[in-house]
Amino acid sequence: MAVDAGVGIVLTSPKGDRLEYMIRLHFLATNNMAVYEALIHGLKIASELGARCLYIRDDSELVVDQVMKEASCRDEKMVTYYDEVQKLKEKFDGLELHHVLRRGNLATDFLAKLASNREHTPPRVFVNNAHELLIKLAKAPTPASDAAHAEPVAEPTVGTKMGTPDLKVAMLEPSWMMPFLDYLLQDTLPVNATEARCLARSAKIFVVIEEELHKRSPSGILHKCIPTDQGRELLLEIHADICSHHAAPRSLVGKAFRQGSY
């Protein structure tokens, strides 16, 4: 199990054009988890670029055998990763995954080492930061869920004197992402003609993946869109917490972008 690992992805077109990606993983990950992370990232990028058929080479024989249904998955994480890959396979007309020796996969291995060591990014290589797994694991039961099965409290009878409850009401502000999600998923625009034109024009740089909104940067990297409250927490963490990045607002927001959030 390693922290601050990295993966490399190389996409090659039939004409020989290459796109190279480095993704820095800021969480604990085994070698097989890192391989699955690279595979899923690569499938999503290829889908966004309009690829319909993929021939994938990887040096993890276990992951290749699992994806091609030649080996079973027993670990919960591996099963969840496998299910995610199967969902993404439906976006392509053809997809083959083949095992190669590490010496036959030197380009991606080189990028993965650069990403893992947090070294300088080579020219014409896209880099991104991943701060959480691409999969969602089932959560263990919590005390709150157990409380749902507790015996119901009897309601007071008529004439019973009741005190005034101490209520704390949280006012939720509407998410800035909802208009874009409504337009991209349901083709719904605001009633106001001016607002509708602005939204349709701005939505061209956004894309929905697995019902989550992402913004496409000029370099082609996808930034995961987050609600305003999470954005404030991220900026606060960068500014004064673990990163201790005391900088001007423009630099602070730019660092958040480079961490893969928008």
Side-chain angles (χ1 to χ4, degrees):
M1 186 79 72
V3 65
D4 288 346
V7 300
I9 302 170
V10 177
L11 299 178
T12 306
S13 72
K15 296 181 179 179
D17 300 322
R18 285 164 57 105
L19 291 175
E20 299 181 344
Y21 297 83
M22 288 168 42
I23 301 178
R24 297 164 179 157
L25 307 180
H26 298 272
F27 50 80
L28 291 172
T30 63
N31 289 337
N32 289 329
M33 289 172 61
V35 172
Y36 265 116
E37 289 281 329
L39 177 58
I40 295 174
H41 274 291
L43 291 176
K44 289 184 176 182
I45 294 172
S47 176
E48 287 301 311
L49 293 174
R52 302 305 306 166
C53 296
L54 291 180
Y55 182 94
I56 304 173
R57 299 186 303 171
D58 197 278
D59 52 35
S60 172
E61 187 173 4
L62 175 63
V63 173
V64 171
D65 288 344
Q66 287 178 350
V67 173
M68 301 310 292
K69 303 180 180 180
E70 297 178 9
S72 59
C73 307
R74 297 182 180 179
D75 182 78
E76 179 187 3
K77 291 189 179 70
M78 296 299 101
V79 172
T80 310
Y81 274 122
Y82 171 83
D83 292 340
E84 183 66 22
V85 171
Q86 297 306 311
K87 294 177 184 177
L88 291 171
K89 285 175 65 175
E90 297 178 358
K91 298 179 180 290
F92 301 92
D93 297 331
L95 189 150
E96 293 183 10
L97 189 60
H98 295 268
H99 173 250
V100 295
L101 298 178
R102 177 158 296 186
R103 62 175 179 266
N105 220 21
L106 294 179
T108 55
D109 189 51
F110 172 72
L111 294 173
K113 289 180 179 178
L114 290 181
S116 178
N117 296 331
R118 306 302 189 255
E119 296 185 10
H120 179 69
T121 306
R124 296 182 296 278
V125 174
F126 300 112
V127 62
N128 201 355
N129 293 279
H131 295 271
E132 58 183 10
L133 299 175
L134 287 173
I135 57 173
K136 295 181 181 179
L137 301 175
K139 296 183 179 179
T142 61
S145 63
D146 296 337
H149 302 285
E151 296 182 1
V153 179
E155 296 183 359
T157 58
V158 177
T160 302
K161 184 177 180 180
M162 298 180 62
T164 303
D166 182 15
L167 298 179
K168 295 182 180 180
V169 181
M171 300 299 293
L172 299 178
E173 57 181 304
S175 173
W176 67 270
M177 301 183 292
M178 289 309 300
F180 292 100
L181 289 171
D182 289 341
Y183 174 62
L184 294 174
L185 293 176
Q186 304 177 11
D187 201 23
T188 302
L189 287 170
V191 177
N192 184 280
T194 302
E195 294 180 0
R197 285 196 299 270
C198 292
L199 177 63
R201 184 167 55 251
S202 302
K204 294 179 180 180
I205 59 174
F206 291 92
V207 64
V208 178
I209 301 176
E210 300 296 329
E211 297 184 357
E212 292 184 344
L213 189 67
H214 294 73
K215 178 182 177 293
R216 184 184 294 105
S217 68
S219 61
I221 296 295
L222 296 178
H223 295 273
K224 181 180 179 181
C225 299
I226 58 177
T228 304
D229 57 343
Q230 294 184 20
R232 294 195 185 102
E233 293 177 2
L234 176 61
L235 293 177
L236 179 61
E237 181 178 286
I238 296 174
H239 180 67
D241 200 2
I242 58 174
C243 298
S244 299
H245 187 79
H246 300 279
R250 184 181 296 273
S251 300
L252 189 64
V253 174
K255 188 173 182 66
F257 288 163
R258 288 192 294 274
Q259 290 190 2
S261 299
Y262 180 81

